[in-house]
Amino acid sequence: MLITLEDVLSADQVADFRRRLSATDWVDGRVTAGEQSARAKRNLQVPEDAPLARELGEIVLGALGRNPAFVSAALPLRVFPPLFNRYDQGMGFDTHVDNAIRFSGPVRYRTDLSATLFLTDPEDYEGGELIVEDSYGEHDVKLPAGHMVLYPATSLHRVAPIVRGSRWASFFWIQSMVRSDEKRALLHDMDTAIQALSAKVGQGDASVVSLAGSYHNLIRMWAEV
């Protein structure tokens, strides 16, 4: 399941992020890569323990916590502290799969979902598409600044080399209460349908109440908390 979330950050927030990130230090992005990914990765990154990364990451997490579409799609249990990267001309990231487990201090996160929050508008760079592979083929993702894409961390994916300009983003992983992508997709479809039906007939309608009960009972069956 590949899902786009619009306007996770406002235009003013994106501008503030870019202003502050432009004044910070960047390091080789391979510092957070596993052995396989390190051979494929060519980008720059704000150090994971940099105060600015933590501060901006908290803003991202706050925005996600207020975003019903994110909660519905991810059913988050834990969200890895957001990191920040940039791809300048000639940089890219060859095909890889994200590490199954990530560490932040003593806390371990199972990476069920990967997230990329774009901080550069598409017209400001050429190349740099996030290309996600699944059973239906390849999907090129290049979103407006402030928009975010969620996709299964099990997916093969890559970032096409930058031809012109620079692509900045925040990236991180989510441990979901429901680890199965297929089950999360079903729950997300149910939640979307319930919300649409509720808008037409009201939340107190018997059909809405029944469907909502089934939705929550499925979460009870499948959730790991």
Side-chain angles (χ1 to χ4, degrees):
M1 182 173 63
L2 189 151
I3 294 180
T4 296
L5 303 178
E6 299 182 355
D7 299 320
V8 172
L9 295 181
S10 68
D12 287 343
Q13 286 177 310
V14 170
D16 182 58
F17 273 43
R18 288 187 58 89
R19 177 184 60 80
R20 298 170 71 182
L21 288 169
S22 66
T24 197
D25 294 326
W26 299 78
V27 298
D28 191 319
R30 288 176 291 184
V31 295
T32 57
E35 182 179 352
Q36 178 242 345
S37 294
R39 294 193 294 268
K41 190 176 187 181
R42 303 177 305 282
N43 68 4
L44 299 173
Q45 188 170 305
V46 177
E48 186 174 353
D49 58 354
L52 179 62
R54 294 294 186 182
E55 185 176 347
L56 297 184
E58 286 297 323
I59 296 173
V60 173
L61 293 177
L64 293 175
R66 297 187 295 272
N67 190 309
F70 170 75
V71 175
S72 175
L75 295 171
L77 178 62
R78 298 187 183 94
V79 181
F80 191 88
L83 304 173
F84 297 86
N85 64 15
R86 61 186 284 181
Y87 291 83
D88 294 336
Q89 187 170 338
M91 294 182 179
F93 201 159
D94 298 336
T95 301
H96 64 285
V97 174
D98 290 337
N99 290 351
I101 304 294
R102 306 289 306 200
F103 293 84
S104 179
V107 181
R108 283 179 273 190
Y109 299 76
R110 187 185 65 237
T111 58
D112 298 319
L113 290 153
S114 297
T116 298
L117 172 58
F118 290 80
L119 299 175
T120 307
D121 281 316
E123 60 269 21
D124 292 337
Y125 61 100
E126 294 180 19
E129 295 86 358
L130 171 64
I131 302 170
V132 181
E133 301 179 24
D134 63 16
S135 57
Y136 298 100
E138 295 186 346
H139 306 273
D140 293 7
V141 184
K142 193 172 184 178
L143 301 178
H147 288 26
M148 189 176 90
V149 63
L150 280 172
Y151 58 97
T154 53
S155 303
L156 287 169
H157 58 283
R158 64 186 185 274
V159 176
I162 296 289
V163 177
R164 174 188 61 83
S166 182
R167 170 200 189 268
W168 298 19
S170 177
F171 67 102
F172 49 96
W173 302 270
I174 299 97
Q175 179 174 340
S176 177
M177 291 183 288
V178 177
R179 73 166 68 194
S180 164
D181 183 56
E182 291 82 4
K183 291 175 180 177
R184 282 197 311 274
L186 174 62
L187 289 166
H188 180 57
D189 288 346
M190 284 188 68
D191 188 37
T192 300
I194 290 167
Q195 297 305 318
L197 181 62
S198 178
K200 291 182 179 180
V201 301
Q203 290 186 351
D205 184 86
S207 58
V208 173
V209 173
S210 177
L211 285 171
S214 296
Y215 169 81
H216 287 287
N217 285 332
L218 285 173
I219 291 180
R220 287 188 183 94
M221 289 173 58
W222 295 338
E224 303 171 8
V225 295

mmCIF file of all heavy atoms in Angstrom, residues 198 201-210:
data_model
loop_
_atom_site.group_PDB
_atom_site.id
_atom_site.type_symbol
_atom_site.label_atom_id
_atom_site.label_comp_id
_atom_site.label_asym_id
_atom_site.label_seq_id
_atom_site.Cartn_x
_atom_site.Cartn_y
_atom_site.Cartn_z
ATOM 1 N N SER A 198 -20.481 7.824 7.072
ATOM 2 C CA SER A 198 -20.882 8.634 8.215
ATOM 3 C C SER A 198 -21.218 10.063 7.789
ATOM 4 O O SER A 198 -22.158 10.669 8.311
ATOM 5 C CB SER A 198 -19.775 8.640 9.259
ATOM 6 O OG SER A 198 -20.098 9.457 10.359
ATOM 7 N N VAL A 201 -24.871 9.738 6.203
ATOM 8 C CA VAL A 201 -26.041 9.313 6.983
ATOM 9 C C VAL A 201 -25.920 9.631 8.464
ATOM 10 O O VAL A 201 -26.877 9.423 9.221
ATOM 11 C CB VAL A 201 -26.291 7.797 6.792
ATOM 12 C CG1 VAL A 201 -26.509 7.476 5.324
ATOM 13 C CG2 VAL A 201 -25.147 6.963 7.356
ATOM 14 N N GLY A 202 -24.751 10.107 8.906
ATOM 15 C CA GLY A 202 -24.560 10.452 10.306
ATOM 16 C C GLY A 202 -23.911 9.326 11.099
ATOM 17 O O GLY A 202 -24.092 8.142 10.779
ATOM 18 N N GLN A 203 -23.162 9.692 12.119
ATOM 19 C CA GLN A 203 -22.410 8.703 12.894
ATOM 20 C C GLN A 203 -23.314 7.767 13.680
ATOM 21 O O GLN A 203 -22.906 6.657 14.024
ATOM 22 C CB GLN A 203 -21.448 9.422 13.841
ATOM 23 C CG GLN A 203 -20.293 10.123 13.148
ATOM 24 C CD GLN A 203 -19.297 10.704 14.131
ATOM 25 O OE1 GLN A 203 -19.541 10.729 15.333
ATOM 26 N NE2 GLN A 203 -18.167 11.160 13.617
ATOM 27 N N GLY A 204 -24.527 8.212 13.973
ATOM 28 C CA GLY A 204 -25.421 7.379 14.764
ATOM 29 C C GLY A 204 -26.201 6.359 13.964
ATOM 30 O O GLY A 204 -26.934 5.539 14.546
ATOM 31 N N ASP A 205 -26.065 6.388 12.637
ATOM 32 C CA ASP A 205 -26.776 5.424 11.807
ATOM 33 C C ASP A 205 -26.355 4.003 12.169
ATOM 34 O O ASP A 205 -25.168 3.730 12.430
ATOM 35 C CB ASP A 205 -26.490 5.705 10.340
ATOM 36 C CG ASP A 205 -27.269 4.803 9.409
ATOM 37 O OD1 ASP A 205 -28.423 5.136 9.085
ATOM 38 O OD2 ASP A 205 -26.708 3.757 9.009
ATOM 39 N N ALA A 206 -27.312 3.070 12.160
ATOM 40 C CA ALA A 206 -27.034 1.704 12.587
ATOM 41 C C ALA A 206 -25.959 1.042 11.736
ATOM 42 O O ALA A 206 -25.132 0.267 12.252
ATOM 43 C CB ALA A 206 -28.325 0.877 12.550
ATOM 44 N N SER A 207 -25.952 1.318 10.433
ATOM 45 C CA SER A 207 -24.946 0.702 9.557
ATOM 46 C C SER A 207 -23.553 1.224 9.884
ATOM 47 O O SER A 207 -22.572 0.457 9.857
ATOM 48 C CB SER A 207 -25.281 0.965 8.086
ATOM 49 O OG SER A 207 -25.356 2.363 7.816
ATOM 50 N N VAL A 208 -23.445 2.495 10.207
ATOM 51 C CA VAL A 208 -22.148 3.070 10.570
ATOM 52 C C VAL A 208 -21.660 2.470 11.879
ATOM 53 O O VAL A 208 -20.489 2.078 12.009
ATOM 54 C CB VAL A 208 -22.246 4.607 10.686
ATOM 55 C CG1 VAL A 208 -20.941 5.182 11.236
ATOM 56 C CG2 VAL A 208 -22.570 5.223 9.332
ATOM 57 N N VAL A 209 -22.554 2.361 12.845
ATOM 58 C CA VAL A 209 -22.191 1.789 14.144
ATOM 59 C C VAL A 209 -21.727 0.342 13.982
ATOM 60 O O VAL A 209 -20.727 -0.087 14.570
ATOM 61 C CB VAL A 209 -23.374 1.876 15.116
ATOM 62 C CG1 VAL A 209 -23.059 1.127 16.416
ATOM 63 C CG2 VAL A 209 -23.708 3.336 15.410
ATOM 64 N N SER A 210 -22.423 -0.423 13.135
ATOM 65 C CA SER A 210 -22.056 -1.819 12.925
ATOM 66 C C SER A 210 -20.698 -1.943 12.252
ATOM 67 O O SER A 210 -19.858 -2.755 12.677
ATOM 68 C CB SER A 210 -23.127 -2.506 12.081
ATOM 69 O OG SER A 210 -22.774 -3.842 11.807
#
